[in-house]
Amino acid sequence: MAPQAYVQPIVASTSVFKTDLFNGKVLFCTGGGSGICKGMTEAMMRHGANATIVGRKLDRLQQSAKELSAKTGRECLPAQADVRNPASLKEAVAKTIEKFGRIDFVICGAAGNFLAPISGVSENAFKTVMEIDTIGTYNTIKATIAHVRAAKGAYIHVSATLHYSGTPYQVHVSAAKAGVDALSAVLAVEEGPHGVRSNVIAPGPIAGTEGMDRLSPKTHDERFNSAYPVGRMGDVKDIENATVFLFSDAAAYITGQVLPVDGGTEHLRHQFLPYPQAVLEPEKVKHMIKGKL
């Protein structure tokens, strides 16, 4: 029998961290109505925090807030806002302060993405992703910083590993996430003396998320499946555990850092679309793409 690669287990945060770790604390999360950010919010609530989740679709936020409260026994406030609109973010912050009286932690997670080569990304599409990811992060920081300072709290910005080396069909999000990483670094330096920490989580491929479902190839070949040194694709719980750690006092000496949570895939960098065929003949890879081309 051929030797088999070891597969790292998926671990629930409650098996490692105290369940009352964040009692009395409040989380403010943009993009918290779905996907990875919803999982990050659930983890924080599972460990005692109350939360506000922010997004554009109120009906989805309300449903997610009910689910999160039911699962964790904590309070979750749905606040409709567009991170591109500073006034709406300030209103969401005001509602959070009215409801909970404080903001200790902020997750900047609102994002937009699709698949397209540079030649197929319109100027408006590029601008939109930059506005949601980079400017939206800046707007979120501006709207919350006074309260996070008062609480001696922390930020986590959700980035990506796409811009570490050129990723075809991802010019818009690569540029936007590089900007997010830079914002976090400056925030850490400027706000550290005020008691505020700022770090980035850069997820690799995370199974079962809307983004991974839309943006990954329809069929994974063996080359793609073998790209995980830990033996498996990522799980939302992996991001949750990193979130709980970085917001905990155990990470008090960690700020201005980018933490890839990718199972080591960046060290075995594979293009998820065939290269150079994907850039030379984009029409021939359309059948592989779930997202927009």
Side-chain angles (χ1 to χ4, degrees), residues 31-96:
S34 63
I36 287 174
C37 291
K38 182 180 178 182
M40 296 168 77
T41 301
E42 182 179 333
M44 292 296 292
M45 293 175 66
R46 197 184 303 124
H47 291 274
N50 292 318
T52 294
I53 54 174
V54 180
R56 287 178 291 170
K57 299 179 180 179
L58 183 58
D59 56 343
R60 178 153 75 171
L61 289 173
Q62 291 171 332
Q63 181 60 38
S64 294
K66 289 179 182 178
E67 294 171 1
L68 289 167
S69 292
K71 286 182 177 180
T72 65
R74 309 302 300 182
E75 291 187 85
C76 186
L77 174 68
Q80 186 178 26
D82 187 333
V83 295
R84 296 171 291 182
N85 183 329
S88 68
L89 269 175
K90 291 175 183 177
E91 185 177 346
V93 168
K95 290 178 180 177
T96 302

Side-chain angles (χ1 to χ4, degrees), residues 109-131:
N113 198 5
F114 54 90
L115 289 169
I118 295 176
S119 58
V121 179
S122 70
E123 292 84 350
N124 187 61
F126 186 91
K127 178 183 176 183
T128 297
V129 173
M130 292 295 293
E131 286 178 337

Side-chain angles (χ1 to χ4, degrees), residues 120-162:
V121 179
S122 70
E123 292 84 350
N124 187 61
F126 186 91
K127 178 183 176 183
T128 297
V129 173
M130 292 295 293
E131 286 178 337
I132 295 172
D133 289 54
T134 312
I135 298 177
T137 295
Y138 173 80
N139 289 340
T140 303
I141 292 168
K142 291 285 285 185
T144 58
I145 189 61
H147 302 289
V148 179
R149 270 189 188 182
K152 301 294 186 281
Y155 287 83
I156 290 177
H157 313 273
V158 181
S159 185
T161 60
L162 299 167

Side-chain angles (χ1 to χ4, degrees), residues 190-234:
E190 288 193 357
E191 291 298 322
H194 295 287
V196 175
R197 294 185 299 112
S198 177
N199 291 291
V200 170
I201 289 178
I206 304 297
T209 61
E210 180 180 349
M212 190 63 192
D213 182 61
R214 288 185 62 249
L215 298 176
S216 62
K218 291 181 180 179
T219 57
H220 290 176
D221 60 23
E222 186 58 35
R223 179 178 62 90
F224 191 89
N225 290 332
S226 65
Y228 305 100
V230 301
R232 62 172 174 82
M233 188 182 288

Side-chain angles (χ1 to χ4, degrees), residues 12-23 43-49 244 248-249:
S13 63
T14 48
S15 68
V16 179
F17 302 99
K18 297 189 300 182
T19 54
D20 62 351
L21 191 59
F22 300 117
N23 277 3
M44 292 296 292
M45 293 175 66
R46 197 184 303 124
H47 291 274
V244 173
S248 77
D249 289 342

